[in-house]
């Protein structure tokens, strides 16, 4: 191997690593070329990429394989990995580096105290520069997560990048998330990016690492494999962008949802080839956050223990009259004579609110904006003046139950409303202008949440900032979706443009529960 100027490791090494880390063959070969003593070893190397893209794992496995490969003739490669996140101060980082280098070289008498980077260079020179080593000997220092140290001086990274200028045998590898421009303050440094996995790569990795080994009952292994392939693609489309953006989280989601997804097959109600029916049956599990991350989202356990007490207390309470929103109206009944009563804000103290509801996870401003967006998506624009105007009265004159047939014009609209068989709240959401949603929010926020009436007028700038932050939060959670401009492939513009079009991305059941958590019956504000 020493006769050639440039020679890569054995192809068997790349094959083994590619099988262990699928869809990363190009990155493995690039890192091996820049670290192998007989290839093109460099002084500094930057490996960057988002979280959970295989940077640290692939680097550690590749260096271990290269070290074992070079030991066949003579030891030409040694390495250490320093986890920078575990180092509290810069001194802790220096001492950890010296201790690990001394352990890798089996060096006796290394300094146990190191206060500066200059002293670290002196100690590393004693171990690597002055002793005799083979001609092509390389020592690789890997600083993992070096962009996230706790108490590091601003000169730390440039100083570490110049170690190879003083000690030529050293190659410094910096594993970072997003490297700033010229953050090492040195000449050209090769950078290798580990991009996030695409959908095809996600599915390929999941089929390689998490494929069920045993077939489902009454199915063959081929049918189980085909069902798993379609299932992983559906999980990626549903959760990868919003909840499971990394490979470990997506793998955990597939592992948690697979038994519940295949439960109808085990029960004999659905066949393995009825994928659409299986997806409809498992839709409720895809919406349950406790299955995706039970460590963060608390599982509702107290509701089962307090249920007997709630039943006993409910029996002692007087029965309340049924809500007018739940009683059916006749087609010709007028809605101006009766005013729907606003639900009281009293809640049953024995019933525990689940932490997976939007009413618990969202702040009050975001909840009000989400309700206003739902009304803007499902109410026609021509009825906004009737529902939300306060020009003649201090509050809304009439709300909800607004029949389309009572608008006059010869009764033609009334004839159409008699043939309407699908409620408006069950239809798809329509696009609305952001300015209209904010107008609805301004009109109803004082009645829905009395705390808005107590705010000072001078704090209007803080209130606007709160509203803008709430809209950005709803957009990031994809509860509000922008349907025009940059979302349609055009030029990216201001997200808070009042003329931008948006659409509410939540269903009726979610909105109804969200409204009742704030003592608001959303059905009273919908046009029938």
């Amino acid at each position: 191997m020493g006769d050639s100027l440039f020679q890569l490791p054995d192809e068997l090494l790349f094959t083994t690593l590619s099988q262990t880390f699928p869809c990363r063959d190009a990155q493995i070969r690039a890192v091996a070329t820049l670290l192998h003593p007989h290839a093109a070893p460099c002084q500094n190397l930057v490996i960057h990429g988002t979280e959970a893209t295989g940077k640290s794992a692939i680097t550690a496995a590749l260096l271990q394989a290269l070290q074992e490969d070079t030991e066949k003739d003579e030891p030409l490669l040694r390495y250490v990995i320093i986890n920078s996140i575990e180092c509290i101060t810069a001194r802790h980082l220096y001492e950890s580096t010296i201790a690990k280098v001394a352990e890798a070289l089996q060096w006796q008498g290394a300094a146990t105290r190191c206060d500066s980077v200059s002293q670290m260079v002196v100690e590393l020179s004693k171990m690597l520069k002055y002793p005799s080593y083979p001609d092509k000997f390389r020592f690789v220092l890997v600083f993992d997560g070096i962009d996230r140290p706790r108490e590091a001086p601003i000169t730390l990274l440039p100083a570490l990048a110049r170690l190879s200028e003083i000690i030529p045998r050293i190659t410094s590898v910096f594993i970072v998330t997003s490297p700033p421009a010229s953050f090492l303050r040195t000449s050209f440094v090769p950078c290798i990016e580990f991009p996030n996995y695409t959908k095809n790569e996600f599915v390929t990795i999941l089929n390689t690492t998490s494929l069920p080994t045993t077939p489902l009952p009454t199915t063959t292994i081929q049918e189980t494999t085909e069902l798993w392939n379609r299932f992983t693609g559906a999980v990626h489309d549903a959760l990868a962008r919003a909840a499971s953006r990394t490979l470990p989280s997506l793998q955990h989601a597939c592992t948690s949802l697979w038994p519940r997804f295949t439960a109808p097959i085990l029960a004999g109600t659905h066949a393995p080839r009825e994928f659409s029916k299986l997806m409809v049956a498992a839709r409720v599990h895809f919406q349950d956050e406790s299955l995706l991350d039970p460590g963060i989202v608390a599982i509702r356990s107290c509701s089962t223990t307090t249920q007997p007490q709630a039943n006993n207390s409910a029996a002692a309470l007087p029965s309340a009259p049924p809500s007018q929103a739940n009683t059916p109206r006749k087609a010709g009944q007028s809605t101006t004579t009766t005013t729907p009563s606003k639900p009281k804000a009293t809640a049953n103290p024995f019933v525990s609110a689940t932490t997976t509801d939007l009413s618990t996870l969202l702040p009050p401003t975001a909840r009000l904006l989400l309700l206003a967006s739902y009304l803007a998506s499902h109410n026609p624009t021509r009825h906004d003046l009737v529902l939300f105007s306060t020009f003649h009265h201090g509050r809304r004159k009439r709300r909800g139950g607004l029949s389309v047939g009572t608008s006059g014009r010869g009764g033609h609209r009334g004839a159409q409303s008699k043939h309407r068989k699908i409620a408006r709240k069950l239809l798809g959401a329509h696009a609305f202008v952001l300015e209209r949603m904010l107008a609805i929010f301004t009109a109803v926020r004082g009645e829905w949440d009395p705390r808005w009436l107590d705010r000072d007028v001078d704090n209007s700038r803080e209130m606007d900032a709160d509203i803008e932050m709430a809209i950005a939060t709803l957009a990031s959670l994809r509860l509000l979706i922008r349907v025009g401009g940059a979302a349609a492939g055009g030029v990216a513009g201001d997200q808070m443009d009042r003329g931008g079009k948006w659409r509410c991305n939540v269903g009726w059941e979610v909105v109804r529960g969200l409204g009742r958590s704030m003592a608001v019956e959303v059905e009273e504000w919908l046009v029938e």
Side-chain angles (χ1 to χ4, degrees):
M1 184 178 292
D3 299 334
S4 178
L5 294 177
F6 182 86
Q7 185 175 357
L8 287 174
D10 190 6
E11 190 67 24
L12 180 61
L13 184 145
F14 294 119
T15 304
T16 305
L17 290 176
S18 297
Q19 293 176 355
T20 308
F21 303 98
C23 305
R24 283 289 184 256
D25 185 67
Q27 287 77 13
I28 292 174
R29 292 180 180 273
V31 175
T33 302
L34 297 175
L35 296 182
H36 196 273
H38 291 289
C42 60
Q43 295 181 348
N44 298 301
L45 175 63
V46 176
I47 299 176
H48 63 96
T50 56
E51 183 184 357
T53 52
K55 305 183 298 294
S56 304
I58 291 177
T59 303
L62 178 60
L63 287 173
Q64 181 64 29
L66 293 178
Q67 178 177 332
E68 296 175 356
D69 183 68
T70 55
E71 286 181 351
K72 296 179 181 178
D73 300 332
E74 54 183 351
L76 295 179
L77 182 66
R78 291 291 183 270
Y79 75 96
V80 292
I81 299 178
I82 300 97
N83 193 352
S84 306
I85 304 177
E86 297 178 354
C87 300
I88 301 176
T89 60
R91 173 185 169 185
H92 191 186
L93 178 66
Y94 303 149
E95 294 177 355
S96 300
T97 303
I98 294 175
K100 290 187 177 182
V101 171
E103 182 182 357
L105 296 175
Q106 298 180 357
W107 184 269
Q108 300 294 332
T112 58
R113 182 181 178 86
C114 183
D115 296 326
S116 63
V117 67
S118 301
Q119 187 176 355
M120 184 185 71
V121 172
V122 172
E123 295 297 329
L124 292 179
S125 299
K126 293 179 182 179
M127 295 183 286
L128 293 172
K129 184 176 182 180
Y130 302 117
S132 60
Y133 289 98
D135 294 337
K136 294 187 175 182
F137 178 80
R138 305 295 299 180
F139 195 93
V140 182
L141 286 175
V142 181
F143 297 97
D144 191 4
I146 194 63
D147 58 336
R148 293 183 294 175
R150 299 187 180 181
E151 299 178 7
I154 59 176
T155 58
L156 175 63
L157 289 177
L160 295 178
R162 293 185 178 274
L163 286 177
S164 57
E165 298 179 4
I166 304 174
I167 308 174
R169 293 191 178 100
I170 284 183
T171 297
S172 301
V173 180
F174 303 95
I175 300 179
V176 297
T177 302
S178 179
S182 302
F183 74 109
L184 296 180
R185 301 294 190 272
T186 183
S187 57
F188 173 75
V189 178
C191 299
I192 299 177
E193 181 186 6
F194 280 66
N196 198 10
Y197 296 102
T198 61
K199 177 182 178 180
N200 295 333
E201 292 174 346
F202 270 123
V203 174
T204 301
I205 295 173
L206 292 175
N207 294 341
T208 304
T209 59
S210 305
L211 183 66
T213 56
T214 58
L216 297 172
T218 67
T219 60
T220 61
I221 187 64
Q222 182 179 1
E223 293 178 346
T224 303
T225 303
E226 293 177 356
L227 182 62
W228 172 263
N229 294 340
R230 299 186 65 181
F231 168 73
T232 52
V235 172
H236 178 274
D237 294 338
L239 303 176
R241 188 170 183 179
S244 302
R245 301 184 180 183
T246 61
L247 179 61
S249 59
L250 190 66
Q251 186 175 7
H252 172 72
C254 292
T255 306
S256 302
L257 293 173
W258 176 251
R260 296 167 175 82
F261 179 77
T262 56
I265 300 178
L266 301 179
T269 57
H270 295 81
R273 297 185 180 276
E274 297 177 342
F275 184 78
S276 301
K277 295 182 179 179
L278 291 173
M279 284 296 300
V280 173
R283 180 174 55 185
V284 63
H285 302 300
F286 278 79
Q287 299 174 350
D288 192 357
E289 295 90 345
S290 61
L291 297 176
L292 302 179
D293 202 343
I296 297 179
V297 181
I299 301 177
R300 42 191 177 276
S301 59
C302 57
S303 59
T304 57
T305 58
T306 59
Q307 188 67 25
Q309 299 178 1
N311 294 337
N312 295 335
S313 61
L317 295 175
S319 59
S323 177
Q324 185 178 355
N326 297 329
T327 57
R329 284 191 189 93
K330 297 182 181 180
Q333 184 177 353
S334 176
T335 58
T336 57
T337 56
T338 59
T339 303
S341 59
K342 187 175 180 179
K344 295 183 180 180
T346 58
N348 192 348
F350 298 99
V351 179
S352 176
T354 62
T355 58
T356 57
D357 292 337
L358 289 178
S359 59
T360 307
L361 300 177
L362 292 179
T365 304
R367 282 184 280 172
L368 290 175
L369 285 171
L370 191 58
L371 294 179
S373 66
Y374 186 85
L375 295 179
S377 289
H378 291 79
N379 280 337
T381 310
R382 62 180 181 272
H383 297 298
D384 290 349
L385 188 63
V386 178
L387 290 173
F388 310 110
S389 176
T390 58
F391 182 73
H392 295 289
H393 303 276
R395 57 180 300 173
R396 257 54 59 195
K397 182 178 180 181
R398 58 179 184 181
R399 302 174 300 172
L402 182 61
S403 177
V404 183
T406 59
S407 60
R409 295 189 181 182
H412 179 66
R413 294 183 178 271
Q416 289 184 350
S417 63
K418 293 180 179 180
H419 296 285
R420 182 187 295 272
K421 297 182 180 180
I422 302 178
R424 186 173 296 275
K425 60 177 177 291
L426 301 179
L427 297 176
H430 299 278
F432 58 87
V433 182
L434 181 61
E435 186 175 7
R436 178 173 174 240
M437 184 196 73
L438 294 178
I440 296 176
F441 169 76
T442 306
V444 300
R445 64 185 180 183
E447 185 173 351
W448 286 356
D449 192 356
R451 288 176 295 182
W452 283 90
L453 299 176
D454 301 333
R455 299 194 179 186
D456 191 3
V457 181
D458 297 335
N459 297 331
S460 59
R461 184 172 301 177
E462 298 179 1
M463 294 163 58
D464 293 341
D466 190 15
I467 294 173
E468 293 175 1
M469 183 177 63
I471 294 177
T473 301
L474 296 176
S476 63
L477 297 175
R478 295 190 62 81
L479 299 176
L480 285 180
I481 299 178
R482 191 172 183 180
V483 296
V491 181
D494 186 11
Q495 189 178 15
M496 295 303 300
D497 182 14
R498 296 299 182 98
K501 289 188 176 182
W502 296 75
R503 186 177 69 247
C504 184
N505 197 31
V506 293
W508 163 246
E509 296 294 335
V510 177
V511 170
R512 182 174 60 178
L514 187 66
R516 289 180 177 177
S517 67
M518 304 183 68
V520 176
E521 285 293 341
V522 184
E523 194 170 6
E524 298 180 354
W525 297 82
L526 289 175
V527 177
E528 292 184 356

